[in-house]
């Protein structure tokens, strides 16, 4: 048996910077990043895909005359995606924060500050790049404050970001003087209306952020640390990971996503105001959760979060085309959140039971 | 309903071992329980005086296990001479068996507890003491054997049921709610209420009464438990036990968290409780305490009663220790050639942390295994974590290969690795695959430009899994699905991958079955053979002696003894650890 020879010696020790060379076939190049578990996110989110299909069927059943028109269906799909774009970007950042064991209640407020700050007359005078730069920097800066308060000030994430949610809205109102600030920058304003190959630019931005988020979570050391920090902070700490610093980075990442979303929303409305992105924090958390992210941290997927966002914007669209009230819409959304979490719990439970059986 | 002063007069604290003749009628002592028992349990509490000591002794010796019948005969006689005032048998366990998957935690336990006595349970870690008290407390249910409580078969379905029956347990980890008041904690789970509204005033009054009974009426019932010191919290735990009118109080190492003078106070309270006819099962590793407070001793080893009803004061330490040692479980330690380096790899000098350990100095050479023996709470785990940089030291230095270690990051970079005591909560991501757990400390090393290389990681993890004989070998399995021993191998494998020069192991075989233990021992020996220094902490003395080249003994935060493993035996270590009197000569 080969067992005997391998047993005799432990693997050669080598410093972590120079790991033992792996067999050539197992080397991973960027080309096969998406191999292997490529279908896995789809399988895992079958439930949400099912919900999406059902929602479309309901739409087609209630408004058959609209769904008969191919052009309308195409445009309506883009409408749904466009509505999902800004909240989708925020949800990607939120998913990282939640997987890392935290929560960010201040995302809507960060968008407001970033949006308002980037549309002041002074900022607008620096041109398109100045405005985008300002939005992103403000977003990251507020996220950093959140992270530092939580990591080094030892505030509970809920409290720290709740305080930031209140305070940042105040800052936004102060900067704007409670006025709606109109964007005179046509480049910014055109982002929302531009289409490339027939698809709105905002949808490309969403796709880009989701793809980047997926790679960051699944293929980088940053993502690995995020799962470790959220899944078992003590184990991560004892493995030499700087848990506090990593937590700061997670909130900064969420802030960056808010900055991007601020630009997208400013473009859609061609203006910014202190009340913009109202309740985005709740929509983003809900989307992440129904997408399979564990609120206690350590587990979650970007693709699932994207489907969560799409389910919500499809519901909104479904109610809009049927001219139904937002009240009824909110009731349905609430029911969907509960149902999704119940289904997940059930699935996780049966999975662990299965694993328990194979163990014994 | 006040503290029973007259009873104390009959029971001087310094009782000579043979002062009371067997025939003496313990009038005063047995009368006091009836007088002082609270109204709630008066019916049962007044019975102790009825049974004669001679009669109950006879039952005691026949009830004990056949395996140790010879010693029990003399033990029971001695116990009778020991003191009077012990009432009838309230609790009797016969052949109690409790198995968990892979472990026979209790394997035929005999125990007999009488009203008004302090019955000490003695045994090494893993002897089954904790399981036994959990069976009594209704947490676990016995698989076989009989338990009788107050003459009736007893099988509590839940902790509440055990409490209602009159058995209260004070756990080592006090189970109090910090943000509730003393009174609320005492009556937690059986609050006094009317129509759903708490009767705060009467609860407070009753708590006050109980505290007075415990001699602590200066503690306000409205005070938050958080603000109490450890000794005060213990009083609250006892108040909770009494709030149920407990007739038996089980105390799991109550003195472990107490300072010396607080222990005296604890003993005073225990004496008052027993004078009221309440039975106490007292678990402690400190022999001097057992001699001070105990009446009779039952010794457990590997889930079996090896000696029952030994007199607490007069049984020689040698006999107690011999009943606790001599394993039936085979420890298979790999033979190994010790080739240690000449210069110390790890150097710890004067390391201290307030309230945990003081002035600890030690060295570990490359290829050497150094073992620290000590009880839970002796500061050994804290010492290990401080060496690793996980706790900041108050004073003292840690150097590895000449590099000062002050943080975990620094320790890991310098080549230190640690397998902590609580594997699941401190070391593993249970839902993540094996290979990701193995590379947790090193995955950056497999990455290029921040992008991880799963292929490389897997290959390295597979190689390590093979070397460690990990089962199952499939490194994409979630760690949750592995057995305890294999989970520990994953943790060790993590540091192997990192090129660790010094490995700190805290209770490496806790929760690991016997077969997997031998494999872990082999892994540790292999590591040392390759020049890795190992610093090992274990409560299992044979493990320390069998694995280590050099043994350090830790007690109450101090490293009190150092010797080559070949020059020290289990009994000596155990005696040092328990602060017994083996060195000071035997009691008469």
């Amino acid at each position: 048996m080969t067992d005997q020879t391998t047993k005799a010696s432990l693997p050669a020790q080598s410093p972590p910077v120079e790991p033992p060379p792996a067999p050539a076939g197992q080397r991973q190049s960027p080309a096969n990043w998406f191999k292997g578990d490529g279908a896995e996110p789809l399988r895992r989110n079958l439930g949400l895909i099912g919900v999406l299909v059902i929602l479309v069927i309901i739409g087609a059943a209630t408004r058959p005359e609209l769904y008969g028109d191919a052009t309308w269906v195409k445009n309506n799909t883009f409408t749904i995606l466009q509505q999902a774009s800004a909240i989708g970007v925020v949800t990607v950042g939120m998913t990282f924060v939640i997987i890392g064991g935290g929560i960010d209640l201040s995302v809507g407020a960060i968008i407001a500050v970033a949006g308002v700050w980037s549309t002041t007359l002074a900022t607008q005078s620096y041109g398109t790049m100045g405005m985008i730069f300002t939005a992103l920097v403000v977003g990251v800066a507020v996220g950093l404050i959140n992270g530092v308060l939580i990591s080094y000030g030892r505030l509970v994430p809920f409290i720290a970001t709740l305080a930031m949610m209140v305070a940042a809205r105040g800052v936004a109102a102060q900067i704007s003087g409670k006025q709606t600030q109109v964007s005179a920058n046509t480049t910014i304003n055109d982002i929302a209306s531009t289409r490339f190959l027939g698809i709105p630019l905002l949808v490309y931005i969403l796709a880009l952020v989701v793809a980047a988020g997926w790679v960051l979570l699944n293929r980088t050391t940053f993502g690995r640390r995020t799962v470790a920090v959220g899944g078992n902070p003590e184990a991560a700490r004892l493995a030499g990971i700087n848990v506090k610093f990593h937590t700061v980075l997670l909130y900064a990442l969420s802030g960056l996503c808010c900055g991007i979303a601020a630009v997208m929303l400013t473009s859609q409305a061609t203006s910014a105001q202190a009340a913009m992105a109202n309740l985005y924090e709740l929509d983003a958390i809900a989307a992440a959760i129904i997408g399979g992210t564990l609120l206690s941290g350590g587990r979650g997927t970007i693709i699932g979060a994207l489907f969560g966002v799409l389910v919500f914007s499809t519901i909104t669209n479904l109610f809009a085309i049927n001219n139904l009230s937002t009240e009824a819409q909110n009731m349905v959304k609430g029911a969907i959140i509960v149902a999704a979490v119940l289904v997940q719990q059930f699935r996780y439970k049966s999975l662990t039971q299965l694993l328990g059986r194979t163990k014994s | 309903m006040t503290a029973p002063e007259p009873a104390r007069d009959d029971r001087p604290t310094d009782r000579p071992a043979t002062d009371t003749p067997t025939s003496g009628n313990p009038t005063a002592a047995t009368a006091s329980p009836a007088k002082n028992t609270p109204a709630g349990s008066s019916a049962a509490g007044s019975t102790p005086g009825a049974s004669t000591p001679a009669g109950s002794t006879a039952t005691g010796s026949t009830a004990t296990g056949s395996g140790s019948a010879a010693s029990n005969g003399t033990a029971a006689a001695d116990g009778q001479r020991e003191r009077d005032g012990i009432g009838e048998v309230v609790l009797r366990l016969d052949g109690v068996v409790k198995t968990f998957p892979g472990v026979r935690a209790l394997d035929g336990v005999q125990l007999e507890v009488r009203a008004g006595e302090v019955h000490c349970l003695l045994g090494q870690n893993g002897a089954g003491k904790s399981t036994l008290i959990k069976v009594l407390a209704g947490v676990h249910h016995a698989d076989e054997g009989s338990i009788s409580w107050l003459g009736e078969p007893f099988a509590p379905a839940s902790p509440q049921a055990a409490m209602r029956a009159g058995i209260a347990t004070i756990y080592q980890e006090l189970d109090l709610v910090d943000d509730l008041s003393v009174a609320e904690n005492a009556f937690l789970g059986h609050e006094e209420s009317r129509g759903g509204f708490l009767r705060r005033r009467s609860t407070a009054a009753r708590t006050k009464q109980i505290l007075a009974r415990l001699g602590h009426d200066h503690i306000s019932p409205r005070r938050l438990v958080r603000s109490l010191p450890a000794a005060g919290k213990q009083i609250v735990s006892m108040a909770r036990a009494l709030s149920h009118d407990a007739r038996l109080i089980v105390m799991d190492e109550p003195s472990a968290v107490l300072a010396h003078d607080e222990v005296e106070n604890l003993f005073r309270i225990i004496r008052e409780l027993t004078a009221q006819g309440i039975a106490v099962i007292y678990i402690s590793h400190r022999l001097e305490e057992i001699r001070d407070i105990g009446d009779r001793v039952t010794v457990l080893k590997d889930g079996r009663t090896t000696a029952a009803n030994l007199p607490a004061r007069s049984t020689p330490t040698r006999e107690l220790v011999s009943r606790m040692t001599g394993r039936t479980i085979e420890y298979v330690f790999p033979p190994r050639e010790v080739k240690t380096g000449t210069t110390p790899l790890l150097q710890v000098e004067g390391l201290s942390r307030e309230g945990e350990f003081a002035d600890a100095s030690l060295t570990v050479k490359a290829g050497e295994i150094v073992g620290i023996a000590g009880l839970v709470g002796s500061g050994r785990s804290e010492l290990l974590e401080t060496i690793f940089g996980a706790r900041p030291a108050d004073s003292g230095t840690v150097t590895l290969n000449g590099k000062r270690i002050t943080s975990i990051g620094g320790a890991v970079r310098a080549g230190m690795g640690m397998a902590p005591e609580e594997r699941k909560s401190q070391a593993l991501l249970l839902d993540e695959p094996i290979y990701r757990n193995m590379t947790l400390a090193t995955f950056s090393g497999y990455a290029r430009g921040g992008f991880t290389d799963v292929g490389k990681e897997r290959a390295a993890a597979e190689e390590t899994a093979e070397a460690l004989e990990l089962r199952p070998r499939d490194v994409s399995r979630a760690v949750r699905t592995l057995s305890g021993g294999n989970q520990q191998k994953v943790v060790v494998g993590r540091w192997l991958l990192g090129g660790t020069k010094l490995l700190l192991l805290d209770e490496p075989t806790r929760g690991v079955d016997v077969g997997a233990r031998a494999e872990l021992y082999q892994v540790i020996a292999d590591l040392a053979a390759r020049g890795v220094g190992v610093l090992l902490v274990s409560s299992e003395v044979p493990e320390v002696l069998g694995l280590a080249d050099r043994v350090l003994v830790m007690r109450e935060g101090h490293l009190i003894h150092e010797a080559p493993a070949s020059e020290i035996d289990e009994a000596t270590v155990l005696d040092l650890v328990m602060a017994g009197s083996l060195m000071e000569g035997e009691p008469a």
Side-chain angles (χ1 to χ4, degrees):
Chain A
M1 291 291 279
T2 54
D3 208 8
Q4 214 46 25
T5 52
T6 50
K7 183 186 163 185
S9 69
L10 291 158
Q13 279 196 6
S14 52
V17 276
E18 283 178 280
Q26 295 202 327
R27 283 223 162 187
Q28 266 212 338
S29 68
N32 46 22
W33 274 349
F34 302 96
K35 270 191 193 165
D37 51 358
E40 214 261 324
L42 290 181
R43 266 202 309 277
R44 208 181 334 193
N45 294 299
L46 268 182
L48 286 172
I49 294 170
V51 171
L52 273 178
V53 170
I54 291 168
L55 288 174
V56 171
I57 291 171
I58 294 174
T62 50
R63 299 299 302 271
E65 72 283 7
L66 291 179
Y67 274 83
D69 179 357
T71 323
W72 181 89
V73 169
K74 193 182 89 182
N75 284 332
N76 190 49
T77 307
F78 287 145
T79 307
I80 292 173
L81 287 173
Q82 246 175 321
Q83 276 172 350
S85 61
I87 187 69
V89 169
V90 175
T91 303
V92 169
M94 181 69 81
T95 305
F96 271 91
V97 170
I98 297 178
I99 293 175
I103 192 107
D104 191 348
L105 296 177
S106 63
V107 289
I110 297 178
I111 292 173
V113 177
V116 166
W117 203 319
S118 64
T119 53
T120 59
L121 292 176
T123 315
Q124 289 200 32
S125 70
Y126 286 97
T128 312
M129 289 327 276
M131 289 172 70
I132 294 174
F133 182 74
T134 304
L136 300 187
V137 167
V138 169
V140 170
V142 179
L144 280 175
I145 296 171
N146 275 337
V148 169
L149 285 175
I150 289 159
S151 276
Y152 299 101
R154 297 186 183 210
L155 288 183
V156 181
F158 190 94
I159 300 298
T161 59
L162 181 71
M164 184 58 79
M165 170 174 123
V166 177
R169 289 268 179 211
V171 171
Q174 182 71 36
I175 293 173
S176 64
K178 296 185 193 168
Q179 301 297 308
T180 300
Q181 295 184 160
V182 177
S183 163
N185 187 308
T186 49
T187 316
I188 295 278
N189 294 349
D190 285 348
I191 294 174
S193 48
T194 304
R195 289 186 175 217
F196 181 66
L197 299 178
I199 298 170
L201 199 56
L202 288 178
V203 178
Y204 283 105
I205 297 176
L206 173 65
L208 208 66
V209 171
V210 167
W214 188 88
V215 170
L216 191 62
L217 182 62
N218 296 295
R219 291 289 178 264
T220 69
T221 54
F222 181 88
R224 189 71 65 78
R225 286 197 195 103
T226 305
V227 175
V229 165
N232 190 339
E234 182 66 6
R237 192 175 77 98
L238 292 179
I241 294 173
N242 192 334
V243 174
K244 292 190 170 187
F245 182 66
H246 190 79
T247 304
V248 173
L249 292 184
L250 286 174
Y251 285 93
L253 177 68
S254 175
L256 177 68
C257 289
C258 293
I260 297 171
V263 175
M264 295 164 84
L265 287 176
T266 303
S267 167
Q268 279 179 297
T270 68
S271 68
Q273 50 164 331
M276 73 195 290
N278 192 29
L279 295 185
Y280 263 38
E281 50 280 348
L282 297 186
D283 284 349
I285 293 168
I289 299 301
I290 72 167
T293 302
L294 206 63
L295 199 51
S296 54
R299 184 147 38 94
T301 67
I302 298 293
I303 304 296
L306 174 69
F307 280 118
V309 171
L310 290 180
V311 165
F312 278 154
S313 61
T314 307
I315 292 173
T316 308
N317 180 260
L318 185 64
F319 278 76
I321 60 175
N322 282 297
N323 300 318
L324 291 171
S325 68
T326 42
E327 290 78 14
Q329 182 185 322
N330 288 340
M331 288 184 235
V332 172
K333 275 189 186 175
I336 285 193
I337 294 172
V338 172
V341 175
L342 283 179
V343 167
Q344 272 166 23
Q345 271 179 357
F346 175 74
R347 252 204 275 163
Y348 184 66
K349 220 167 151 186
S350 54
L351 183 73
T352 44
Q353 274 166 358
L354 194 77
L355 294 176
R357 257 203 298 281
T358 53
K359 181 188 163 190
S360 59
Chain B
M1 213 78 57
T2 52
E5 282 304 322
R8 280 179 74 200
D9 293 340
D10 289 320
R11 307 182 53 202
T13 49
D14 191 17
R15 285 165 289 181
T18 53
D19 61 345
T20 323
T22 314
S23 53
N25 191 358
T27 327
T30 41
S32 53
K35 245 189 317 206
N36 293 294
T37 314
S41 61
S42 61
S46 58
T47 39
S51 83
T52 67
S56 30
T57 306
T59 0
S61 65
T62 48
T64 46
S66 56
S68 50
S71 72
N72 289 330
T74 54
D78 283 350
Q80 187 46 41
R81 246 181 290 125
E82 188 85 356
R83 71 167 262 237
D84 54 340
I86 297 179
E88 59 162 10
V89 175
V90 288
L91 178 74
R92 190 193 302 282
L93 275 71
D94 204 6
V96 169
V97 172
K98 173 72 194 170
T99 50
F100 295 108
V103 189
R104 216 168 156 85
L106 297 182
D107 191 14
V109 169
Q110 322 288 338
L111 179 69
E112 176 207 278
V113 181
R114 291 160 182 273
E117 79 161 330
V118 177
H119 197 107
C120 298
L121 265 185
L122 203 56
Q124 294 203 57
N125 280 12
K129 299 183 305 259
S130 306
T131 310
L132 178 58
I133 61 175
K134 281 182 178 158
V135 166
L136 292 178
V139 177
H140 296 323
H141 308 290
D143 299 333
E144 290 168 38
S146 71
I147 305 176
S148 79
W149 169 241
L150 302 175
E152 282 172 25
F154 179 64
S158 68
Q160 285 76 22
M163 276 278 203
R164 271 199 300 276
I167 297 181
T169 307
I170 299 173
Y171 294 99
Q172 204 176 346
E173 314 278 322
L174 297 174
D175 48 346
L176 299 175
V177 184
D178 268 349
D179 287 311
L180 291 181
S181 72
V182 170
E184 285 163 337
N185 266 291
F187 284 87
L188 194 66
H190 62 125
E191 296 84 358
E192 295 206 336
S193 64
R194 185 185 286 159
F197 290 97
L198 291 171
R199 303 183 59 189
R200 294 164 55 111
R201 196 166 305 168
S202 99
T203 306
R206 274 190 64 188
T207 308
K208 190 103 194 151
Q209 228 169 23
I210 294 168
L211 289 171
R213 204 172 140 201
L214 291 170
H216 276 272
D217 46 2
H218 61 275
I219 297 177
S220 161
R222 294 183 205 284
R223 190 162 163 190
L224 282 189
V225 162
R226 179 184 294 287
S227 69
L228 292 173
K233 289 183 181 177
Q234 203 148 47
I235 301 294
V236 178
S237 281
M238 267 185 253
R240 179 188 285 176
L242 292 182
S243 77
H244 285 277
D245 291 326
R247 308 230 19 236
L248 170 67
I249 302 180
V250 183
M251 301 183 185
D252 189 4
E253 294 208 48
S255 60
V257 294
L258 299 182
H260 191 71
D261 54 325
E262 293 168 337
V263 173
E264 279 306 308
N265 191 44
L266 171 72
F267 285 180
R268 188 182 57 76
I269 293 169
I270 290 177
R271 290 195 181 98
E272 283 166 13
L273 291 173
T274 50
Q276 295 167 37
I278 293 170
V280 170
I281 294 180
Y282 188 90
I283 296 173
S284 176
H285 285 287
R286 298 180 186 162
L287 281 183
E288 56 193 23
E289 287 180 8
I290 289 172
R291 300 225 183 270
D292 193 349
I293 191 72
D295 294 309
R296 297 189 299 168
V297 179
T298 291
V299 184
L300 293 184
K301 190 188 82 186
D302 300 334
R304 274 196 201 101
T305 300
T306 51
N309 307 334
L310 300 171
R313 261 168 293 280
S314 57
T315 308
T317 303
R318 207 184 323 102
E319 187 180 347
L320 289 176
V321 169
S322 76
R323 297 283 180 195
M324 293 164 64
T325 56
R327 289 261 159 176
T328 51
I329 296 174
E330 282 292 310
Y331 281 82
V332 185
F333 296 104
R336 65 190 201 91
E337 220 175 296
V338 183
K339 279 186 289 181
T340 59
T342 45
T343 52
L345 176 72
L346 172 79
Q347 212 154 4
V348 177
E349 273 166 34
L351 206 63
S352 299
R353 255 178 76 83
E354 180 73 40
E356 290 176 357
F357 56 88
D359 200 25
S361 298
L362 59 94
T363 59
V364 180
K365 299 193 188 90
E368 188 183 29
I369 303 178
V370 176
I372 300 178
L375 298 175
V376 175
S378 62
R380 36 174 217 175
S381 299
E382 291 81 358
L383 174 62
L384 222 57
E385 287 182 12
T386 310
I387 292 174
F388 191 53
R391 293 168 185 243
D394 290 341
S395 63
T397 59
V398 178
T399 43
L400 184 68
N401 268 341
K403 251 187 225 154
R404 275 287 298 275
I405 307 294
T406 51
S407 68
I408 298 175
V412 172
R413 275 192 297 278
M416 218 191 272
M418 166 140 150
E421 189 176 7
E422 298 291 336
R423 220 168 16 241
K424 289 182 181 173
S425 68
Q426 293 185 298
L428 292 169
L429 300 164
L430 291 171
D431 292 322
E432 290 282 289
I434 292 168
Y435 78 90
R436 287 198 176 191
N437 272 283
M438 278 202 182
T439 58
L440 188 66
T442 50
F443 58 76
S444 299
Y446 298 97
R448 260 182 315 203
F451 291 101
T452 54
D453 191 331
V454 173
K456 269 192 200 171
E457 281 182 45
R458 286 188 62 123
E462 271 160 14
E463 202 180 326
T464 309
E466 190 126 333
L468 294 173
E469 293 192 61
L470 193 74
R471 278 179 304 266
R473 204 60 59 87
D474 176 10
V475 296
S476 57
R477 288 276 294 263
V479 164
R480 189 184 289 284
T481 63
L482 302 186
S483 67
N486 282 297
Q487 288 183 350
Q488 188 66 279
K489 286 183 188 174
V490 171
V491 179
V492 172
R494 171 185 302 166
W495 298 112
L496 281 181
L497 282 175
T500 295
K501 298 187 191 74
L502 178 80
L503 194 58
L504 309 175
L505 300 171
D506 196 353
E507 299 276 6
T509 57
R510 174 187 275 197
V512 173
D513 62 63
V514 181
R517 273 179 190 219
E519 289 180 21
L520 271 176
Y521 296 150
Q522 182 66 50
V523 166
I524 295 169
D526 283 350
L527 278 171
R530 290 165 57 232
V532 174
V534 176
L535 184 58
L536 162 100
V537 154
S538 175
S539 350
E540 303 201 20
V541 177
E543 187 169 291
V544 174
L545 290 176
L547 264 180
D549 308 320
R550 205 145 48 80
V551 176
L552 303 169
V553 179
M554 192 160 190
R555 191 178 74 209
E556 288 163 17
H558 295 273
L559 292 170
I560 54 165
H561 192 77
E562 177 175 348
S566 51
E567 293 170 19
I568 191 165
D569 64 1
E570 193 182 348
T572 313
V573 173
L574 212 53
D575 194 59
L576 285 165
V577 154
M578 298 196 306
S581 51
L582 202 62
M583 304 295 183
E584 301 148 19
E586 302 294 340

